[in-house]
Amino acid sequence: MATEHVHVEEHNHPGPRQYVIIGAILAVITLIEFGVFYLSIDPALMTWIILVLSSSKFLLVVGYFMHLKFDDVRFSGLFFAPFLIMVSIAVVLMALFFNLTR
Amino acid sequence: MQYLSGIDDHRTSTGLDNRKMLMWAFLGSDVMFFGTLIGTHLIYRNRNLSGPQEEILSIPITTISTFVLLMSSLAMVLALAGIQRGNMGQFRFWTAIVCIFGSIFIGFQMFEFTEFAAHYGLTPRTNLFGSTFLVMTGFHGTHVAVGILWLWSILFASYKGKIHQGNSLQVEIAGLYWHFVDIVWIVIFGVVYLIGAYGAEGRALEDAHHAARAVGIG
């Protein structure tokens, strides 16, 4: 029955094959970030590209490796509520005191 | 069957395991902790009166250490998949890989800190960049070190029969912590290293351009 409980928990989780695919995607995105860094482009554009790529990696790890995509939605609430507060405060502070592209 | 009652004891009126809820609540608070450190670093960016700043960051080396940490996350999730399927060999192999990759990451960080101190004289006392950057990355490194010790202890406990398929939730909770350390680094690598160093290069080019104009060769 203990094993049953464990199986219910992992029922919706991806398998090792999917994990390896996600890992490969993460590695490719990191390589793209590295390549983008050496392009001579506008710093504002570069900033947005890196933010999008980093966010993709963040969401892949949180969603698949940490299983938030498959687990109870209340776990997502426990994590993303403070995360959104933190991001909001950081954005406001940066808007007041700082320019990210310079 | 003794551990079965242990599992049931951790169920709450929400139907969720209280240990897992605690870990997610902790990670939520840790998000705000790191948000403060990263935000402080960004706000004080380019406000140094003297000393080195982002131009000293080595992107190739940090890309490799980032890759190592990402792959440790992959190893962590494979270790969890192993124990959830009752494959203790797979669990032990991948947990050891996580610990090794985590140690390699710490090694990269120690190398970076040593290089900064030896070649550029950068310490937390040097300037605002030194204070905010070293505190932020130092705290992250401390989190990685704690994660390594936690996972080694789980690995040893598995040899004593204290970690098994029936209580794989303990591995899942340690894994959540490890992945969290990974996502914090994803943010630091993107925002502090890549965007920061790119901005520093852009500023250096602009300054050179202005200097050339000032002497009439630009």
Short mmCIF file of all heavy atoms in Angstrom, two decimals, chain B residues 97-143:
data_model
loop_
_atom_site.label_atom_id
_atom_site.label_comp_id
_atom_site.label_asym_id
_atom_site.label_seq_id
_atom_site.Cartn_x
_atom_site.Cartn_y
_atom_site.Cartn_z
N ILE B 97 26.29 11.18 -9.00
CA ILE B 97 26.61 12.11 -10.09
C ILE B 97 26.20 13.55 -9.70
O ILE B 97 26.93 14.51 -9.96
CB ILE B 97 25.88 11.69 -11.40
CG1 ILE B 97 26.45 10.36 -11.90
CG2 ILE B 97 25.99 12.77 -12.48
CD1 ILE B 97 27.86 10.43 -12.42
N VAL B 98 25.02 13.68 -9.08
CA VAL B 98 24.57 15.02 -8.65
C VAL B 98 25.61 15.62 -7.70
O VAL B 98 26.00 16.79 -7.85
CB VAL B 98 23.20 14.95 -7.93
CG1 VAL B 98 22.80 16.33 -7.43
CG2 VAL B 98 22.12 14.40 -8.84
N CYS B 99 26.05 14.84 -6.72
CA CYS B 99 27.02 15.33 -5.74
C CYS B 99 28.34 15.73 -6.41
O CYS B 99 28.93 16.76 -6.09
CB CYS B 99 27.29 14.28 -4.66
SG CYS B 99 25.85 13.94 -3.64
N ILE B 100 28.76 14.91 -7.37
CA ILE B 100 30.03 15.21 -8.07
C ILE B 100 29.89 16.49 -8.91
O ILE B 100 30.74 17.38 -8.86
CB ILE B 100 30.45 14.01 -8.95
CG1 ILE B 100 30.85 12.83 -8.07
CG2 ILE B 100 31.58 14.38 -9.90
CD1 ILE B 100 30.96 11.50 -8.79
N PHE B 101 28.79 16.59 -9.67
CA PHE B 101 28.57 17.79 -10.50
C PHE B 101 28.43 19.03 -9.62
O PHE B 101 28.93 20.10 -9.96
CB PHE B 101 27.33 17.61 -11.38
CG PHE B 101 27.59 16.79 -12.62
CD1 PHE B 101 28.73 16.03 -12.75
CD2 PHE B 101 26.67 16.78 -13.66
CE1 PHE B 101 28.97 15.27 -13.89
CE2 PHE B 101 26.89 16.02 -14.80
CZ PHE B 101 28.04 15.27 -14.91
N GLY B 102 27.75 18.88 -8.48
CA GLY B 102 27.61 20.01 -7.56
C GLY B 102 28.97 20.45 -7.05
O GLY B 102 29.26 21.65 -6.95
N SER B 103 29.83 19.48 -6.73
CA SER B 103 31.17 19.80 -6.25
C SER B 103 32.00 20.48 -7.34
O SER B 103 32.77 21.40 -7.05
CB SER B 103 31.89 18.52 -5.79
OG SER B 103 31.13 17.88 -4.80
N ILE B 104 31.81 20.04 -8.59
CA ILE B 104 32.53 20.69 -9.71
C ILE B 104 32.08 22.15 -9.83
O ILE B 104 32.90 23.05 -10.02
CB ILE B 104 32.28 19.93 -11.04
CG1 ILE B 104 32.94 18.55 -10.99
CG2 ILE B 104 32.78 20.73 -12.24
CD1 ILE B 104 32.59 17.64 -12.17
N PHE B 105 30.78 22.36 -9.68
CA PHE B 105 30.26 23.74 -9.74
C PHE B 105 30.89 24.60 -8.65
O PHE B 105 31.32 25.73 -8.90
CB PHE B 105 28.73 23.73 -9.60
CG PHE B 105 28.14 25.11 -9.60
CD1 PHE B 105 27.87 25.77 -10.78
CD2 PHE B 105 27.87 25.76 -8.40
CE1 PHE B 105 27.34 27.06 -10.78
CE2 PHE B 105 27.34 27.04 -8.38
CZ PHE B 105 27.08 27.69 -9.57
N ILE B 106 30.96 24.05 -7.43
CA ILE B 106 31.59 24.78 -6.31
C ILE B 106 33.06 25.07 -6.64
O ILE B 106 33.57 26.15 -6.36
CB ILE B 106 31.51 23.95 -5.00
CG1 ILE B 106 30.07 23.79 -4.55
CG2 ILE B 106 32.36 24.57 -3.90
CD1 ILE B 106 29.49 24.98 -3.84
N GLY B 107 33.70 24.10 -7.27
CA GLY B 107 35.10 24.28 -7.68
C GLY B 107 35.25 25.46 -8.64
O GLY B 107 36.16 26.28 -8.50
N PHE B 108 34.34 25.53 -9.63
CA PHE B 108 34.36 26.66 -10.57
C PHE B 108 34.20 27.98 -9.83
O PHE B 108 34.86 28.97 -10.13
CB PHE B 108 33.22 26.51 -11.59
CG PHE B 108 33.60 25.72 -12.82
CD1 PHE B 108 33.05 24.47 -13.06
CD2 PHE B 108 34.50 26.24 -13.74
CE1 PHE B 108 33.38 23.74 -14.18
CE2 PHE B 108 34.84 25.51 -14.87
CZ PHE B 108 34.28 24.26 -15.09
N GLN B 109 33.29 27.98 -8.85
CA GLN B 109 33.02 29.21 -8.12
C GLN B 109 34.24 29.63 -7.28
O GLN B 109 34.59 30.81 -7.23
CB GLN B 109 31.80 29.01 -7.21
CG GLN B 109 31.09 30.30 -6.92
CD GLN B 109 29.70 30.10 -6.35
OE1 GLN B 109 29.45 29.16 -5.60
NE2 GLN B 109 28.77 30.97 -6.70
N MET B 110 34.88 28.65 -6.66
CA MET B 110 36.08 28.96 -5.87
C MET B 110 37.18 29.50 -6.77
O MET B 110 37.90 30.44 -6.41
CB MET B 110 36.55 27.71 -5.12
CG MET B 110 35.67 27.36 -3.94
SD MET B 110 36.06 25.76 -3.22
CE MET B 110 37.63 26.10 -2.47
N PHE B 111 37.31 28.90 -7.96
CA PHE B 111 38.30 29.37 -8.93
C PHE B 111 38.02 30.83 -9.32
O PHE B 111 38.92 31.67 -9.35
CB PHE B 111 38.26 28.47 -10.17
CG PHE B 111 39.07 28.98 -11.33
CD1 PHE B 111 40.45 28.88 -11.33
CD2 PHE B 111 38.45 29.58 -12.42
CE1 PHE B 111 41.20 29.36 -12.40
CE2 PHE B 111 39.18 30.06 -13.48
CZ PHE B 111 40.56 29.96 -13.48
N GLU B 112 36.74 31.10 -9.59
CA GLU B 112 36.34 32.46 -9.98
C GLU B 112 36.65 33.47 -8.86
O GLU B 112 37.25 34.52 -9.12
CB GLU B 112 34.84 32.46 -10.29
CG GLU B 112 34.32 33.79 -10.83
CD GLU B 112 32.82 33.77 -11.05
OE1 GLU B 112 32.10 33.23 -10.19
OE2 GLU B 112 32.38 34.29 -12.08
N PHE B 113 36.26 33.15 -7.64
CA PHE B 113 36.50 34.05 -6.52
C PHE B 113 38.00 34.28 -6.32
O PHE B 113 38.44 35.41 -6.07
CB PHE B 113 35.90 33.49 -5.22
CG PHE B 113 34.40 33.55 -5.15
CD1 PHE B 113 33.65 34.02 -6.22
CD2 PHE B 113 33.72 33.14 -4.01
CE1 PHE B 113 32.27 34.08 -6.16
CE2 PHE B 113 32.34 33.20 -3.94
CZ PHE B 113 31.61 33.66 -5.02
N THR B 114 38.77 33.20 -6.44
CA THR B 114 40.23 33.31 -6.25
C THR B 114 40.85 34.19 -7.33
O THR B 114 41.70 35.03 -7.06
CB THR B 114 40.88 31.91 -6.27
OG1 THR B 114 40.14 31.06 -5.40
CG2 THR B 114 42.32 31.95 -5.80
N GLU B 115 40.39 33.96 -8.58
CA GLU B 115 40.91 34.76 -9.70
C GLU B 115 40.60 36.24 -9.52
O GLU B 115 41.45 37.10 -9.73
CB GLU B 115 40.25 34.28 -11.02
CG GLU B 115 40.82 33.00 -11.56
CD GLU B 115 42.20 33.21 -12.17
OE1 GLU B 115 42.30 33.97 -13.14
OE2 GLU B 115 43.16 32.60 -11.66
N PHE B 116 39.37 36.52 -9.11
CA PHE B 116 38.96 37.91 -8.92
C PHE B 116 39.82 38.58 -7.84
O PHE B 116 40.22 39.74 -7.98
CB PHE B 116 37.48 37.99 -8.50
CG PHE B 116 36.52 37.70 -9.62
CD1 PHE B 116 35.16 37.59 -9.37
CD2 PHE B 116 36.96 37.53 -10.92
CE1 PHE B 116 34.27 37.32 -10.40
CE2 PHE B 116 36.09 37.25 -11.96
CZ PHE B 116 34.73 37.15 -11.70
N ALA B 117 40.08 37.83 -6.77
CA ALA B 117 40.86 38.40 -5.67
C ALA B 117 42.32 38.57 -6.07
O ALA B 117 42.94 39.61 -5.80
CB ALA B 117 40.75 37.52 -4.44
N ALA B 118 42.86 37.56 -6.77
CA ALA B 118 44.29 37.58 -7.10
C ALA B 118 44.62 38.57 -8.21
O ALA B 118 45.61 39.29 -8.14
CB ALA B 118 44.74 36.18 -7.50
N HIS B 119 43.78 38.60 -9.26
CA HIS B 119 44.11 39.43 -10.42
C HIS B 119 43.52 40.82 -10.40
O HIS B 119 44.05 41.74 -11.00
CB HIS B 119 43.69 38.72 -11.71
CG HIS B 119 44.52 37.51 -12.01
ND1 HIS B 119 43.98 36.29 -12.33
CD2 HIS B 119 45.87 37.32 -11.99
CE1 HIS B 119 44.94 35.41 -12.51
NE2 HIS B 119 46.10 36.01 -12.30
N TYR B 120 42.37 40.95 -9.76
CA TYR B 120 41.71 42.27 -9.78
C TYR B 120 41.57 42.87 -8.38
O TYR B 120 41.03 43.97 -8.24
CB TYR B 120 40.32 42.15 -10.43
CG TYR B 120 40.36 41.53 -11.80
CD1 TYR B 120 39.99 40.20 -12.00
CD2 TYR B 120 40.77 42.28 -12.90
CE1 TYR B 120 40.02 39.63 -13.26
CE2 TYR B 120 40.82 41.72 -14.16
CZ TYR B 120 40.44 40.39 -14.33
OH TYR B 120 40.49 39.83 -15.57
N GLY B 121 42.00 42.13 -7.36
CA GLY B 121 41.89 42.64 -6.00
C GLY B 121 40.46 42.77 -5.51
O GLY B 121 40.17 43.59 -4.64
N LEU B 122 39.55 41.98 -6.13
CA LEU B 122 38.13 42.12 -5.78
C LEU B 122 37.78 41.31 -4.54
O LEU B 122 37.92 40.08 -4.52
CB LEU B 122 37.24 41.67 -6.95
CG LEU B 122 35.75 41.95 -6.73
CD1 LEU B 122 35.45 43.42 -6.93
CD2 LEU B 122 34.89 41.10 -7.66
N THR B 123 37.33 42.00 -3.51
CA THR B 123 36.82 41.36 -2.29
C THR B 123 35.49 42.06 -1.96
O THR B 123 35.15 43.07 -2.59
CB THR B 123 37.79 41.55 -1.11
OG1 THR B 123 37.80 42.93 -0.75
CG2 THR B 123 39.20 41.09 -1.45
N PRO B 124 34.75 41.57 -0.98
CA PRO B 124 33.50 42.25 -0.63
C PRO B 124 33.71 43.70 -0.18
O PRO B 124 32.78 44.49 -0.20
CB PRO B 124 32.96 41.40 0.53
CG PRO B 124 33.53 40.05 0.31
CD PRO B 124 34.89 40.30 -0.26
N ARG B 125 34.94 44.07 0.19
CA ARG B 125 35.20 45.42 0.66
C ARG B 125 35.63 46.37 -0.45
O ARG B 125 35.75 47.58 -0.23
CB ARG B 125 36.30 45.39 1.72
CG ARG B 125 35.88 44.80 3.03
CD ARG B 125 37.03 44.80 3.98
NE ARG B 125 36.62 44.45 5.32
CZ ARG B 125 37.39 44.56 6.39
NH1 ARG B 125 38.61 45.02 6.25
NH2 ARG B 125 36.95 44.20 7.57
N THR B 126 35.93 45.82 -1.64
CA THR B 126 36.53 46.65 -2.70
C THR B 126 35.59 47.75 -3.17
O THR B 126 35.96 48.92 -3.21
CB THR B 126 36.93 45.76 -3.90
OG1 THR B 126 37.74 44.69 -3.42
CG2 THR B 126 37.69 46.56 -4.94
N ASN B 127 34.40 47.37 -3.59
CA ASN B 127 33.42 48.35 -4.08
C ASN B 127 32.02 47.72 -4.03
O ASN B 127 31.85 46.59 -3.54
CB ASN B 127 33.76 48.81 -5.51
CG ASN B 127 33.90 47.65 -6.48
OD1 ASN B 127 33.47 46.55 -6.19
ND2 ASN B 127 34.47 47.91 -7.64
N LEU B 128 31.03 48.46 -4.54
CA LEU B 128 29.65 47.96 -4.49
C LEU B 128 29.50 46.67 -5.29
O LEU B 128 28.77 45.76 -4.91
CB LEU B 128 28.70 49.02 -5.05
CG LEU B 128 28.34 50.15 -4.08
CD1 LEU B 128 27.58 51.25 -4.81
CD2 LEU B 128 27.48 49.61 -2.94
N PHE B 129 30.20 46.60 -6.44
CA PHE B 129 30.13 45.38 -7.24
C PHE B 129 30.65 44.19 -6.44
O PHE B 129 30.03 43.13 -6.40
CB PHE B 129 30.94 45.54 -8.54
CG PHE B 129 31.05 44.27 -9.33
CD1 PHE B 129 29.97 43.80 -10.04
CD2 PHE B 129 32.24 43.54 -9.34
CE1 PHE B 129 30.05 42.61 -10.76
CE2 PHE B 129 32.33 42.36 -10.06
CZ PHE B 129 31.23 41.89 -10.76
N GLY B 130 31.80 44.38 -5.78
CA GLY B 130 32.38 43.30 -4.98
C GLY B 130 31.44 42.86 -3.87
O GLY B 130 31.23 41.66 -3.64
N SER B 131 30.85 43.82 -3.17
CA SER B 131 29.95 43.49 -2.05
C SER B 131 28.73 42.71 -2.53
O SER B 131 28.43 41.63 -2.03
CB SER B 131 29.46 44.76 -1.36
OG SER B 131 30.54 45.52 -0.93
N THR B 132 28.02 43.29 -3.52
CA THR B 132 26.74 42.68 -3.93
C THR B 132 26.95 41.38 -4.71
O THR B 132 26.22 40.41 -4.51
CB THR B 132 25.92 43.66 -4.78
OG1 THR B 132 26.68 44.05 -5.92
CG2 THR B 132 25.56 44.90 -3.97
N PHE B 133 27.97 41.36 -5.58
CA PHE B 133 28.20 40.16 -6.40
C PHE B 133 28.67 38.98 -5.55
O PHE B 133 28.15 37.87 -5.66
CB PHE B 133 29.24 40.47 -7.49
CG PHE B 133 29.61 39.27 -8.32
CD1 PHE B 133 28.79 38.86 -9.36
CD2 PHE B 133 30.75 38.54 -8.06
CE1 PHE B 133 29.11 37.74 -10.11
CE2 PHE B 133 31.08 37.43 -8.79
CZ PHE B 133 30.25 37.03 -9.83
N LEU B 134 29.65 39.23 -4.67
CA LEU B 134 30.20 38.12 -3.89
C LEU B 134 29.22 37.61 -2.84
O LEU B 134 29.17 36.40 -2.57
CB LEU B 134 31.53 38.54 -3.24
CG LEU B 134 32.67 38.80 -4.24
CD1 LEU B 134 33.88 39.39 -3.54
CD2 LEU B 134 33.06 37.52 -4.97
N VAL B 135 28.43 38.51 -2.26
CA VAL B 135 27.42 38.05 -1.28
C VAL B 135 26.36 37.20 -1.98
O VAL B 135 26.00 36.12 -1.52
CB VAL B 135 26.78 39.25 -0.55
CG1 VAL B 135 25.56 38.81 0.25
CG2 VAL B 135 27.79 39.91 0.38
N MET B 136 25.89 37.69 -3.13
CA MET B 136 24.85 36.97 -3.88
C MET B 136 25.33 35.59 -4.34
O MET B 136 24.70 34.57 -4.06
CB MET B 136 24.45 37.82 -5.09
CG MET B 136 23.54 37.15 -6.09
SD MET B 136 23.23 38.25 -7.49
CE MET B 136 24.88 38.46 -8.15
N THR B 137 26.47 35.54 -5.03
CA THR B 137 26.95 34.26 -5.55
C THR B 137 27.48 33.39 -4.40
O THR B 137 27.40 32.17 -4.47
CB THR B 137 28.05 34.47 -6.60
OG1 THR B 137 29.04 35.35 -6.07
CG2 THR B 137 27.49 35.07 -7.88
N GLY B 138 27.99 34.04 -3.34
CA GLY B 138 28.46 33.27 -2.17
C GLY B 138 27.31 32.55 -1.48
O GLY B 138 27.45 31.38 -1.11
N PHE B 139 26.18 33.25 -1.32
CA PHE B 139 25.03 32.60 -0.70
C PHE B 139 24.50 31.47 -1.59
O PHE B 139 24.06 30.42 -1.09
CB PHE B 139 23.91 33.61 -0.42
CG PHE B 139 23.96 34.16 0.97
CD1 PHE B 139 24.34 35.46 1.22
CD2 PHE B 139 23.65 33.35 2.06
CE1 PHE B 139 24.42 35.97 2.51
CE2 PHE B 139 23.71 33.84 3.36
CZ PHE B 139 24.10 35.16 3.58
N HIS B 140 24.56 31.69 -2.89
CA HIS B 140 24.12 30.61 -3.79
C HIS B 140 25.04 29.40 -3.63
O HIS B 140 24.58 28.25 -3.55
CB HIS B 140 24.10 31.09 -5.24
CG HIS B 140 23.71 30.01 -6.19
ND1 HIS B 140 24.65 29.23 -6.85
CD2 HIS B 140 22.50 29.53 -6.56
CE1 HIS B 140 24.02 28.34 -7.59
NE2 HIS B 140 22.72 28.49 -7.43
N GLY B 141 26.35 29.66 -3.59
CA GLY B 141 27.31 28.57 -3.41
C GLY B 141 27.09 27.83 -2.10
O GLY B 141 27.22 26.60 -2.04
N THR B 142 26.72 28.59 -1.06
CA THR B 142 26.43 27.95 0.23
C THR B 142 25.22 27.02 0.10
O THR B 142 25.21 25.92 0.65
CB THR B 142 26.14 29.03 1.30
OG1 THR B 142 27.21 29.97 1.29
CG2 THR B 142 26.01 28.43 2.68
N HIS B 143 24.22 27.47 -0.64
CA HIS B 143 23.05 26.62 -0.87
C HIS B 143 23.44 25.33 -1.60
O HIS B 143 22.95 24.25 -1.28
CB HIS B 143 22.00 27.37 -1.70
CG HIS B 143 21.06 28.21 -0.88
ND1 HIS B 143 21.47 29.34 -0.21
CD2 HIS B 143 19.74 28.09 -0.63
CE1 HIS B 143 20.43 29.88 0.41
NE2 HIS B 143 19.37 29.14 0.18
#
